[in-house]
Amino acid sequence: MKSKIKEHVFGYDVFKENIPFSKLEENDVLLTPYDEFKRNHNWSFLSMNDDYIELIDQSYARLGKGLSPFIFVIPLMLIALYFLYLYFTLGGDSNDSIFITFLIVTSVVFIIWFCFFVFFRPFFKYDYKKPLCKPILFNRKTGKVFFYLTEAEYIERDWKDVVYVMGTSFGLSGFTLRELRAHIVEDGLLKHTFVIGFPMMGIFRTQGLWSFICHFMHKGPEELYPKPNPMYGTIDPFTQLTFCQQVIGAKESYRDTWKSFRIIYHDNWVPALFSYPFDVCNFIARRILLNIKPLTVWHKEVIYKNKMEQQRP
């Protein structure tokens, strides 16, 4: 069934705006602020303190996927250029007609133009001059949620006035993913849609991320900080926040870059193996974008409202 509210373009979900909103599509699950599942941070957090939590959005979770198809076809372009080189230096026959030479040159140029036009265009549309991440911030003291648009724009809502849905998406390799969406709906019209955190394989990790957020908003961070189990002395690596993303651009380590998009498989070795060549291309594309995309800067009003400059333990 074709989605009514989005298109899936080169690894990104592009959501429509100003259309009549129906809360559920096929396989979607409506979530409420009082849902309780087994918590899972899903490696989707940027920070947590007593006042607020910050999470990544799909622009960071899928960073590089818009450019990776272009990386994938670079060998094809090189082969085409090499063939042209061999034709003129080794294989070119003086008896060949001008038409044959023109046809060969035109074919090579067309292949290269096609690769650039089709596979490089998504970079300019979805990544060029866009920040590395567009965070989502939940403040439990004020009950507000803030959505980053640009350095000069943001959306602020009461967190319970937003429609949260667990929807379906797809990776570049074609495997089904489940993602946590936040819909801004006004007068029955869908105004904005945001994907919170990493899309994951299976419903339980996405449900767990939503439960993690709800727990923080209702009960605070006390139980979410890493603490050894009093009986076993171990720390639960998922129900407690044991990892935060560091959105630091080119300073990000190569290991963290590789891990940042391989985590969606989480012990599912079959899709992890099948997706390996795509992920190698994604790794190269992501490293390129980490060096050229600007870092995220919240609007000064958001910084003030959430006391982001205040020193916290």
Side-chain angles (χ1 to χ4, degrees):
M1 179 178 177
K2 188 176 180 180
S3 173
K4 301 176 183 177
I5 67 169
K6 72 170 185 175
E7 296 177 357
H8 193 71
V9 183
F10 287 97
Y12 290 89
D13 286 336
V14 182
F15 293 92
K16 301 175 184 178
E17 298 178 356
N18 296 312
I19 62 172
F21 178 69
S22 174
K23 292 183 179 179
L24 294 178
E25 294 189 302
E26 185 179 17
N27 298 321
D28 284 357
V29 178
L30 183 65
L31 302 170
T32 75
Y34 303 100
D35 288 333
E36 292 188 10
F37 309 102
K38 184 178 181 180
R39 298 192 306 269
N40 194 318
H41 58 72
N42 269 9
W43 297 275
S44 297
F45 282 75
L46 292 171
S47 64
M48 180 177 73
N49 55 56
D50 191 56
D51 292 341
Y52 63 82
I53 51 176
E54 273 187 293
L55 297 98
I56 65 170
D57 77 315
Q58 75 158 340
S59 64
Y60 183 76
R62 299 177 181 269
L63 179 67
K65 293 187 183 296
L67 184 60
S68 58
F70 178 75
I71 303 296
F72 194 79
V73 299
I74 284 179
L76 175 62
M77 293 190 292
L78 293 177
I79 291 173
L81 287 173
Y82 185 65
F83 175 80
L84 192 63
Y85 167 79
L86 292 179
Y87 175 77
F88 282 108
T89 58
L90 301 177
D93 192 334
S94 58
N95 295 323
D96 285 347
S97 66
I98 296 178
F99 174 76
I100 294 176
T101 302
F102 175 79
L103 181 63
I104 292 174
V105 172
T106 302
S107 299
V108 171
V109 171
F110 174 78
I111 290 173
I112 295 174
W113 173 85
F114 181 83
C115 291
F116 268 97
F117 180 78
V118 174
F119 297 109
F120 202 57
R121 188 173 60 170
F123 163 73
F124 286 99
K125 190 171 184 179
Y126 303 112
D127 285 312
Y128 184 62
K129 291 187 177 180
K130 303 290 179 61
L132 276 177
C133 181
K134 297 180 180 180
I136 297 97
L137 186 150
F138 290 84
N139 190 313
R140 76 181 188 91
K141 297 288 183 67
T142 62
K144 300 294 185 180
V145 58
F146 298 83
F147 300 95
Y148 184 101
L149 296 178
T150 68
E151 189 172 335
E153 296 179 290
Y154 68 94
I155 294 175
E156 177 184 354
R157 291 288 188 276
D158 187 286
W159 83 288
K160 293 183 180 179
D161 290 341
V162 178
V163 179
Y164 302 96
V165 170
M166 182 172 62
T168 302
S169 184
F170 300 94
L172 278 178
S173 54
F175 287 100
T176 302
L177 304 174
R178 299 294 271 174
E179 62 187 11
L180 175 58
R181 301 178 193 157
H183 296 296
I184 307 295
V185 181
E186 297 177 0
D187 299 323
L189 294 179
L190 177 62
K191 293 296 185 179
H192 298 278
T193 300
F194 302 88
V195 177
I196 304 174
F198 280 103
M200 302 293 285
M201 298 190 68
I203 65 173
F204 300 110
R205 298 180 184 91
T206 301
Q207 288 176 333
L209 177 60
W210 174 239
S211 188
F212 207 107
I213 296 170
C214 293
H215 183 103
F216 174 85
M217 295 299 287
H218 292 304
K219 301 178 181 179
E222 183 64 25
E223 298 178 23
L224 305 179
Y225 288 119
K227 292 181 180 178
N229 185 291
M231 181 176 296
Y232 303 105
T234 57
I235 295 175
D236 191 316
F238 302 115
T239 63
Q240 298 174 338
L241 188 56
T242 54
F243 178 82
C244 284
Q245 297 287 339
Q246 301 293 320
V247 184
I248 53 179
K251 296 179 181 180
E252 179 180 285
S253 70
Y254 288 93
R255 180 181 179 182
D256 285 344
T257 301
W258 180 253
K259 183 172 64 176
S260 64
F261 52 85
R262 293 288 287 181
I263 60 175
I264 66 172
Y265 310 118
H266 187 57
D267 297 331
N268 290 284
W269 68 269
V270 174
L273 181 63
F274 180 81
S275 303
Y276 192 87
F278 301 99
D279 286 342
V280 169
C281 296
N282 192 22
F283 174 82
I284 297 171
R286 193 177 181 96
R287 290 305 306 183
I288 293 172
L289 295 180
L290 284 170
N291 281 273
I292 64 176
K293 295 190 73 170
L295 295 174
T296 302
V297 178
W298 275 108
H299 191 282
K300 61 181 180 180
E301 291 181 359
V302 178
I303 296 174
Y304 174 77
K305 290 179 180 180
N306 294 282
K307 303 177 182 178
M308 299 177 73
E309 295 180 340
Q310 177 179 319
Q311 294 295 324
R312 296 178 173 89

